[in-house]
Amino acid sequence: MKTYGSFKKAVLLSASVLIGITAANAHTTELSTSVINNCDAVTDFAKNLDHNDAQLSNSQMKSYIDARVACEIEHKDQHLQSEKYFINKYGSDK
């Protein structure tokens, strides 16, 4: 009976360690081309940077920075296009 209790504790401990490792790895995202080419994915990668334990090489870091800059430019351009549309549609000289 005593052996069964120790075995049960060992199984439960192993299961909880496995669940903990799986949960920790669920946040890990590789910096791949699919992430770099998608602004939402780049933003998510940045938000979860503390959880992403991937070691980034210098070239990957440069790609990441270039992608963040491109996304920022795209975002600002979208705002400018929206403002132009608003002014053209609702401008006071119409």
Side-chain angles (χ1 to χ4, degrees):
M1 188 73 173
K2 193 173 190 179
T3 305
Y4 175 74
S6 297
F7 178 71
K8 183 178 175 184
K9 288 179 184 177
V11 169
L12 289 173
L13 179 62
S14 297
S16 67
V17 167
L18 181 61
I19 290 168
I21 290 171
T22 303
N25 286 336
H27 293 289
T28 302
T29 305
E30 292 293 322
L31 185 61
S32 63
T33 306
S34 63
V35 171
I36 292 293
N37 292 333
N38 181 326
C39 285
D40 291 334
V42 171
T43 302
D44 287 341
F45 186 85
K47 286 180 185 175
N48 295 320
L49 206 55
D50 292 340
H51 297 292
N52 292 327
D53 59 3
Q55 297 295 316
L56 299 178
S57 67
N58 287 339
S59 63
Q60 285 177 316
M61 183 56 84
K62 183 179 179 336
S63 295
Y64 168 74
I65 292 169
D66 291 345
R68 291 290 295 161
V69 169
C71 289
E72 187 67 27
I73 291 169
E74 180 182 320
H75 184 72
K76 286 184 180 189
D77 185 56
Q78 288 171 349
H79 279 286
L80 286 174
Q81 295 304 320
S82 295
E83 287 179 23
K84 281 183 185 178
Y85 173 79
F86 182 82
I87 290 168
N88 287 338
K89 186 165 183 166
Y90 303 106
S92 60
D93 58 325
K94 293 248 172 181

